[in-house]
Amino acid sequence: MLEITPVPILADNYTWVIRAPNNDAAIVVDPGDAQPVARALKGAGFNLAGILVTHHHHDHIDGVAALASEGVPVFGPDDERIPALTHPLRAGERFDPPGLGTTFEVFETPGHTLEHIVFYGGGVLLAGDALFAGGCGRMFEGNAPQMVGYLAELRDLPPTTKLYCGHEYTAANLAFAQAVEPNNAHLQKRIETVAAQRSNGSTTLPSTLGEERETNPFLRWDEPPVVDQASQHAGRALQTPAEVFAVLRDWKDHF
Ligand SMILES: [Zn+2]
């Protein structure tokens, strides 16, 4: 079992610190700010062994160059905007981040950005801004068919898979989910759980893909209540998963 802890950075980002039990070698994911991450590693007595990057947005990469100057490998999408990249990765590639004893597989997840990738291994999905707890990233570069395509792949991973994403957006995402599915009992329960977590100041992550499948509207484009509600919102009968997804995404953007 990997041990995964968050370093909260910037306004609402998480840099995830991943280790194998009884091993000081730590992998960090999406360090958008070097200082708090370096401080957290030092405070815990961990040694940085590598960096994983999901996409080029500044809140995910701005700490990479400073941290990588210790000479550690940087794994990420084949994208020249990723600083200090040593291991460019493509869909389907498998790799072993140093010190974890776990193989990760790469999924390409175009939509939020075209080069966005996610990492799946050890029962864990490191999703960046491709999939959030209760939501998904804004569609800045890709299109709805691309996003439905990769989300369909991700939702088919085992339901016990733990989801670690790049932001603490869960409460706001679930408020939107409730507008889409006011009668989803799983969702009501999750909203209560998340509200309690937030009032304690604790993270809402990880969730599981099973929970996401039951409550995240962006994985539910083929559930009749979601199709109906999206169609009502659009004022026309939506036919395809991509049409439903596009309406949901646009609705959320203006929610
Ligand atoms: Zn982003």
Side-chain angles (χ1 to χ4, degrees):
M1 265 289 250
L2 296 171
E3 292 182 0
I4 306 182
T5 50
V7 181
I9 61 163
L10 307 173
D12 49 29
N13 284 71
Y14 288 126
T15 294
W16 296 104
V17 176
I18 311 180
R19 286 180 316 115
N22 307 316
N23 192 331
D24 291 344
I27 297 295
V28 301
V29 184
D30 286 351
D33 192 359
Q35 239 186 21
V37 175
R39 215 168 26 232
L41 294 176
K42 197 171 173 205
F46 301 157
N47 296 310
L48 183 64
I51 299 170
L52 270 53
V53 176
T54 60
H55 68 295
H56 75 274
H57 285 161
H58 74 91
D59 57 322
H60 296 252
I61 64 167
D62 277 1
V64 171
L67 291 167
S69 65
E70 296 183 25
V72 300
V74 177
F75 302 86
D78 190 0
D79 180 341
E80 63 197 12
R81 293 169 296 189
I82 310 293
L85 184 69
T86 57
H87 292 68
L89 299 166
R90 295 207 167 274
E93 263 189 76
R94 289 162 189 275
F95 68 106
D96 287 40
L100 297 187
T102 302
T103 301
F104 279 82
E105 182 180 349
V106 176
F107 289 75
E108 283 176 350
T109 53
H112 180 68
T113 71
L114 286 176
E115 286 80 10
H116 198 298
I117 60 174
V118 301
F119 308 100
Y120 171 67
V124 164
L125 179 64
L126 305 167
D129 292 355
L131 174 64
F132 292 131
C136 71
R138 276 178 192 253
M139 193 163 70
F140 285 127
E141 296 182 2
N143 56 41
Q146 284 176 311
M147 287 191 86
V148 170
Y150 82 71
L151 289 169
E153 273 190 283
L154 299 184
R155 80 175 187 177
D156 280 346
L157 293 171
T160 52
T161 303
K162 289 184 176 150
L163 172 67
Y164 293 87
C165 56
H167 290 269
E168 181 59 65
Y169 287 161
T170 316
N173 285 338
L174 295 182
F176 172 71
Q178 191 175 31
V180 179
E181 286 193 276
N183 300 316
N184 179 333
H186 294 294
L187 177 58
Q188 291 312 319
K189 224 173 142 189
R190 188 174 182 194
I191 287 170
E192 288 162 27
T193 306
V194 163
Q197 287 168 325
R198 293 312 288 154
S199 68
N200 289 339
S202 51
T203 175
T204 63
L205 300 169
S207 64
T208 66
L209 285 186
E211 277 178 89
E212 296 305 328
R213 189 72 181 76
E214 285 175 335
T215 56
N216 185 335
F218 294 101
L219 298 180
R220 293 170 60 78
W221 56 80
D222 47 5
E223 296 291 334
V226 175
V227 177
D228 288 353
Q229 198 76 2
S231 295
Q232 239 178 64
H233 185 80
R236 63 181 202 282
L238 302 172
Q239 309 289 347
T240 67
E243 280 182 301
V244 174
F245 181 89
V247 167
L248 291 173
R249 191 55 266 174
D250 184 66
W251 183 2
K252 171 70 165 67
D253 288 346
H254 301 96
F255 185 71

